[in-house]
Amino acid sequence: MDNTPAKRLTGIAYIPRWLGGVSCYIVFGLGGLLTSLTILPLLRFWPGTKEQRIRRVQKAVHIMFRGFVHMLSWAGVIKLTPVNMARLSEARGKVVVMNHPTLVDVVVLISLMPNAGCIVKQGIWRNPFMRGVVACAGYIPNRGAELLLYDCKEVLDSGTNLIIFPEGTRTVLGSVINDFARGAANIALRTKTDILPVTLHTNASGLTKQEAWYEIPRRTIGMRVEVGETIEHIRYDTQAGGDAKMARLLTRDLEDHFKKELE
């Protein structure tokens, strides 16, 4: 990916970019509401096992998100460059961790992998535009620790990959990454699951936590999604060092890995 930021649009030249970007979000929101009322319930209740029905819906969400990413690219909001995608397409039942610099990170990642689940905060479950989508796709509500762990193990055992952002929220502007929480490490170790790190490099600021969704970036954000090598959970033997100690060690190693990749 060319690390040189694109030209910054100003004045009248910015208006088509803003209209295009806002239109993408409106289409995405209305499309999510419409499909959650029509296509996704149909796929969910179509004959088949529970796992087959969920996979059908996840594939549909993958296609929808891929369409949204194409719209953002067409509007000049982002430019996507995937690297080492074979590692992602071959992944089964792994904890996929990624840094979180922008608003659309989870959409970009799911657009690249049809076999994906994620933990969804309660606010999204109350969002009428997204509730039907996350429910039909078998995504996991962020509830009590033991229930959450049980849900994660069930998803991972089914062969679905689980996306987790260890930063918890979007990266603070001006920082390389936020401090990692131990959630991803705890889930990986307690479910005995390997970790697949995915680094999202960006060459311009935009769609950050400090900006509203309608503040469309004036520069095209170049995004390089680079899939790393699998980190085996067995390297962090909880029998030898204890759950808490190994989770701290794995979290520290993950944070160091991303800092090295991003710097």
Side-chain angles (χ1 to χ4, degrees), residues 13 123 201:
H201 304 263

Side-chain angles (χ1 to χ4, degrees), residues 10-83:
T10 58
I12 295 176
Y14 173 63
I15 294 176
R17 165 73 54 78
W18 186 85
L19 290 173
V22 169
S23 297
C24 289
Y25 286 119
I26 292 173
V27 170
F28 181 67
L30 293 177
L33 178 60
L34 182 61
T35 54
S36 69
L37 296 173
T38 55
I39 298 173
L40 297 186
L42 180 63
L43 292 174
R44 186 182 185 187
F45 295 111
W46 199 262
T49 65
K50 177 183 176 181
E51 289 75 17
Q52 288 173 331
R53 294 196 299 268
I54 288 176
R55 288 193 189 284
R56 283 197 293 259
V57 175
Q58 288 176 350
K59 182 65 179 292
V61 172
H62 158 72
I63 293 171
M64 288 166 50
F65 282 11
R66 189 169 61 184
F68 180 54
V69 169
H70 283 319
M71 286 192 295
L72 289 175
S73 300
W74 169 81
V77 178
I78 65 173
K79 182 180 179 182
L80 189 62
T81 306
V83 181

Side-chain angles (χ1 to χ4, degrees), residues 23 40 63 65 83 130 153 187 202 219 230 234-235 242 247 252 260-261:
S23 297
L40 297 186
I63 293 171
F65 282 11
V83 181
M130 297 302 297
K153 181 169 176 53
I187 289 171
T202 58
R219 285 190 173 95
T230 296
I234 197 66
R235 287 166 49 185
R252 186 196 68 193
K260 181 179 178 181
E261 290 295 313

Side-chain angles (χ1 to χ4, degrees), residues 125 155 241:
W125 283 85
V155 166

